[in-house]
Amino acid sequence: MKVETGKNIQVKDVSPSGIKIIWQEIKKDKLAMGSLIILAAILLFVYGASLFMDAKEIAKVDFLSIYMEPSSDYWLGTDYGGRDVFGQLIIGTRNSFTISLFITLFTAIIGLSLGLLAGYFGGATDNVIMRIIDFVIALPQLMFIIVVVTIVPIFNVYVFILIMTMFLWTGKARLIRSKALSERELDYIHASQTLGTPHWKIILFQLLPNVSSLIIVNFILNLAGNIGLESSLTFLGFGLPESTPSLGTLISYARNPDVLENKWWIWVPASLMILVLMLSINFVGQALKRAADARQRRG
Amino acid sequence: MTLLKLDNLKVHFPIRGGFFRRVVDHVKAVDGVSFELQQGETYGLVGESGSGKSTTGKAVVKLNEVTSGQILFEGRDLASLSRREIKPFRKDIQMIFQDPYSSLNPKKRVLDIIAEPLRNFERLSPSEEKKIVQDFLDKVGLSPESIHKYPHEFSGGQRQRIGIARSLTLKPKLIIADEPVSALDVSVQAQVLNFLQDLQQEFNLTYLFVGHDLGVIRHMCDRMGVMYRGRLVEEGKSEEIYENPQHIYTKRLIAAIPDLEPEVREDKVQLRKKLTSEYESTYSKYFDENGRAYDLKPISSTHRVALQ
């Protein structure tokens, strides 16, 4: 630590940008660096490989090759429909990650804007936004999702993202609001007000950076958590159709005791994939969290 | 020349209660305060915790809603202006906050903190901006490389000086100093106070100095007002108040200043006891039946006291 500060003593001309700080932080943390490499490798491979794969071909049932063990033809064997598990794993990982990323992104955007507004202005604004949130929370989520799933003509990844976003933003908004409420009572916000800074600037440039560590941690945890989001719906029979494979679909094949006990190649790779993705996302998240807080930085 | 004039200023906070959160009562944080600040002077507001001195200061910079009364700054009533209309006045009235730990954004570099007011009011290139910030850092005695540091890398006194530098960048006419040294230890207090006085000379500043430390107020202020329960109970030149306090609250407040001489310690105790009994016997002379101080009455051309 001491040695590092000695090296950085030459006066820098510009404040280092956020991305630079994050990069320095990740470089300092071997675990985060390793996780980032693994994560990037998996994602690049999965998204790259899925471009060359024919999803329809993979979803095609082939009765001649049911429950085949891993071989050179089928790297990870086949499932009860004779479909290639490796292909399903690639496309499933892609689907699951895309779902997770977009749900997390959309809920973060909605939750962040409403939470900041409610927290910063308080009073009537806060009241209106919080009552809307209460209303959304009071709705029977699962029933709504099942009804929508039954009604929509084509049930695919985009519809799924949309429905889940509709219900999942409330928790974020409440979290951000509570933090913003306590931050706005601090003197630096008052100081900005007396310095003539307009509200929108205070919210974006004073309040937002101070809730950012909370957002990042929450974002990462959600990103990791949402990867397995569709598996519970799959379990109920309202998940994505088998034509759009996901990690949840693969894992839920293990409901069959025979598959669980004897046909490990169907569900173990998907479970490992979720484990590795979640862990590496979390490790990177830890580094990001430190980067967001000047006092915790190592770099 | 009168720079700032408060006329019967009232700041009441509603107390909500009951089923529909109706307003059931008000906290009269500031309840009819009037005084004037002349250009270039330092006016002190003293009082115990909760006496409304900070609220008065914050009302001037519109951090609190004014219930009624006028805040005349160079003849314009700030209390009646909207947030938008008040913006040009922000340049002239700045505030130094009590707590140097919460008044600086922990996520911002010193450069961004001090340049914030400049960015709101002036269009400057980054290099011009940096030069101004460097100048002010130099003035408040911080090293040039602090410009890229974060607030947590500084001590309390240094942070307070960053706060002072921020309030100076727009060259304001009036600075509201809300207990600027009460969070600092004594050796740093003197340093910051002397420094504030030097700046006053240099920039011809007017201070509204809010504080509870009577020694600090005496050191700093030309005139002062003593507040009690949202009312001014005595106002005048600092010497007049310290040498010849008239209101029983002021007398007790001044008797409470600790004396370093061990010989007079016994006398002090006696004096305080005497004042306590005087307070009990003459209470109605100073406070009405609701415990509210009377309106100020002049006893000399500069000295006003709240007497019946």
Side-chain angles (χ1 to χ4, degrees):
Chain A
M1 180 85 195
K2 273 265 148 49
V3 182
E4 282 309 310
T5 47
K7 253 193 258 169
N8 293 336
I9 219 148
Q10 69 268 42
V11 181
K12 285 164 261 168
D13 251 6
V14 275
S15 319
S17 65
I19 294 170
K20 220 171 176 178
I21 290 172
I22 289 173
W23 179 239
Q24 273 175 359
E25 195 56 45
I26 290 179
K27 267 203 306 203
K28 269 264 141 29
D29 185 349
K30 292 231 166 55
L31 199 57
M33 194 63 188
S35 301
L36 188 70
I37 292 170
I38 292 176
L39 192 64
I42 292 179
L43 292 181
L44 274 176
F45 177 69
V46 160
Y47 279 85
S50 65
L51 285 179
F52 303 104
M53 284 184 173
D54 188 357
K56 282 215 180 76
E57 195 59 40
I58 285 165
K60 203 179 252 171
V61 175
D62 179 4
F63 286 116
L64 296 175
S65 48
I66 288 173
Y67 284 143
M68 296 226 303
E69 283 188 34
S71 63
S72 56
D73 280 347
Y74 303 103
W75 290 358
L76 286 174
T78 57
D79 67 357
Y80 76 97
R83 290 166 295 208
D84 182 20
V85 173
F86 180 74
Q88 289 193 64
L89 184 70
I90 298 298
I91 302 215
T93 310
R94 187 198 64 183
N95 284 344
S96 285
F97 191 81
T98 312
I99 288 171
S100 174
L101 184 69
F102 279 97
I103 290 177
T104 317
L105 207 64
F106 291 152
T107 51
I109 292 169
I110 301 173
L112 194 59
S113 13
L114 289 177
L116 282 178
L117 286 177
Y120 178 75
F121 288 108
T125 322
D126 183 35
N127 239 331
V128 170
I129 293 175
M130 287 316 283
R131 292 302 79 76
I132 295 173
I133 290 178
D134 287 348
F135 173 74
V136 174
I137 289 176
L139 292 175
Q141 278 191 30
L142 201 59
M143 208 186 80
F144 259 81
I145 294 170
I146 290 174
V147 168
V148 174
V149 169
T150 335
I151 292 175
V152 284
I154 330 155
F155 183 46
N156 56 19
V157 173
Y158 308 104
V159 179
F160 187 79
I161 291 172
L162 213 72
I163 314 169
M164 294 317 283
T165 306
M166 266 169 57
F167 292 103
L168 290 178
W169 62 272
T170 52
K172 278 221 174 84
R174 289 178 117 183
L175 186 79
I176 304 290
R177 167 196 175 256
S178 65
K179 179 76 175 161
L181 266 182
S182 67
E183 286 289 324
R184 72 154 184 172
E185 294 301 325
L186 293 178
D187 273 343
Y188 71 88
I189 299 284
H190 292 154
S192 280
Q193 287 168 349
T194 63
L195 295 172
T197 315
H199 284 312
W200 67 269
K201 263 193 181 168
I202 297 182
I203 294 180
L204 283 183
F205 301 120
Q206 306 284 337
L207 196 55
L208 185 61
N210 278 289
V211 297
S212 64
S213 59
L214 187 74
I215 301 166
I216 290 172
V217 176
N218 187 259
F219 188 94
I220 299 297
L221 286 179
N222 270 285
L223 187 62
N226 287 346
I227 287 181
L229 190 68
E230 88 282 34
S231 53
S232 62
L233 275 176
T234 315
F235 183 80
L236 289 175
F238 294 96
L240 292 164
E242 283 183 10
S243 58
T244 32
S246 69
L247 294 177
T249 341
L250 281 173
I251 292 172
S252 67
Y253 286 144
R255 271 180 300 167
N256 181 344
D258 179 45
V259 171
L260 183 66
E261 208 179 320
N262 305 319
K263 287 152 183 118
W264 57 268
W265 60 86
I266 296 177
W267 58 274
V268 167
S271 310
L272 280 179
M273 184 63 96
I274 288 192
L275 184 74
V276 170
L277 282 180
M278 278 188 174
L279 279 181
S280 41
I281 290 174
N282 266 324
F283 287 136
V284 174
Q286 298 284 339
L288 291 187
K289 184 184 157 195
R290 283 198 309 273
D293 184 350
R295 273 161 297 192
Q296 291 185 30
R297 265 176 223 159
R298 294 179 192 171
Chain B
M1 194 186 104
T2 306
L3 185 70
L4 179 78
K5 182 176 183 216
L6 301 192
D7 188 17
N8 203 17
L9 180 76
K10 289 183 182 173
V11 180
H12 294 179
F13 296 112
I15 303 171
R16 292 176 188 277
F19 189 66
F20 291 107
R21 311 213 1 104
R22 280 170 300 123
V23 177
V24 287
D25 202 357
H26 286 95
V27 177
K28 293 175 178 170
V30 180
D31 197 19
V33 164
S34 314
F35 60 84
E36 286 181 14
L37 261 78
Q38 304 302 322
Q39 172 84 48
E41 76 170 347
T42 305
Y43 188 95
L45 272 182
V46 264
E48 59 190 39
S49 303
S51 58
K53 52 194 195 308
S54 278
T55 312
T56 310
K58 284 185 174 165
V60 177
V61 287
K62 279 234 157 183
L63 282 178
N64 288 322
E65 279 302 316
V66 172
T67 310
S68 71
Q70 286 186 314
I71 301 169
L72 295 163
F73 181 78
E74 296 182 321
R76 286 287 302 274
D77 182 15
L78 300 183
S80 65
L81 297 179
S82 74
R83 218 187 122 87
R84 199 173 289 274
E85 291 166 323
I86 207 161
K87 199 167 173 200
F89 293 96
R90 295 268 187 222
K91 242 182 120 156
D92 295 330
I93 309 176
Q94 286 294 317
M95 182 150 180
I96 300 172
F97 288 85
Q98 175 178 7
D99 181 4
Y101 294 92
S102 73
S103 63
L104 305 178
N105 191 335
K107 300 275 164 160
K108 298 274 174 188
R109 281 157 193 276
V110 170
L111 172 68
D112 299 318
I113 291 173
I114 298 181
E116 188 187 342
L118 286 173
R119 289 173 187 166
N120 287 334
F121 287 97
E122 274 154 55
R123 293 255 162 271
L124 295 173
S125 72
S127 59
E128 287 174 308
E129 186 183 279
K130 204 173 154 206
K131 201 179 159 298
I132 294 179
V133 172
Q134 287 286 19
D135 283 351
F136 278 102
L137 271 184
D138 193 39
K139 234 164 227 134
V140 299
L142 292 171
S143 60
E145 64 261 28
S146 2
I147 202 164
H148 290 298
K149 285 188 182 166
Y150 287 92
H152 69 89
E153 297 173 59
F154 296 93
S155 70
Q158 288 173 320
R159 281 163 164 246
Q160 195 60 302
R161 284 186 278 168
I162 295 171
I164 293 169
R166 171 174 65 186
S167 65
L168 289 174
T169 44
L170 291 173
K171 306 218 162 60
K173 293 174 183 156
L174 171 67
I175 287 190
I176 317 269
D178 184 6
E179 307 199 25
V181 294
S182 64
L184 308 176
D185 64 69
V186 182
S187 59
V188 183
Q189 280 192 4
Q191 189 193 348
V192 171
L193 289 174
N194 290 333
F195 168 66
L196 282 173
Q197 284 185 325
D198 294 344
L199 290 173
Q200 184 168 35
Q201 301 255 306
E202 191 177 341
F203 295 102
N204 189 24
L205 295 168
T206 309
Y207 287 131
L208 174 59
F209 200 97
V210 177
H212 59 251
D213 187 327
L214 291 154
V216 167
I217 296 283
R218 183 173 201 177
H219 176 71
M220 287 294 290
C221 302
D222 310 309
R223 293 195 307 128
M224 59 185 280
V226 181
M227 281 189 80
Y228 181 63
R229 292 196 192 162
R231 307 265 301 164
L232 271 179
V233 294
E234 190 158 357
E235 189 216 39
K237 289 201 164 124
S238 294
E239 312 89 71
E240 288 173 331
I241 305 242
Y242 279 96
E243 305 306 332
N244 182 24
Q246 291 298 310
H247 196 275
I248 185 67
Y249 179 72
T250 321
K251 285 181 190 168
R252 294 188 76 192
L253 202 62
I254 287 169
I257 302 175
D259 204 314
L260 289 179
E261 301 282 331
E263 300 92 67
V264 296
R265 196 174 285 159
E266 202 45 46
D267 300 344
K268 273 269 184 181
V269 173
Q270 290 307 319
L271 176 67
R272 280 177 205 148
K273 281 202 177 122
K274 199 183 114 218
L275 283 172
T276 308
S277 60
E278 189 187 333
Y279 172 74
E280 276 151 12
S281 58
T282 59
Y283 184 82
S284 61
K285 208 176 134 202
Y286 298 105
F287 300 101
D288 66 11
E289 63 271 21
N290 297 323
R292 193 168 181 264
Y294 294 108
D295 289 335
L296 291 173
K297 289 193 180 58
I299 60 163
S300 77
S301 62
T302 53
H303 196 168
R304 296 191 297 159
V305 186
L307 288 170
Q308 194 174 16

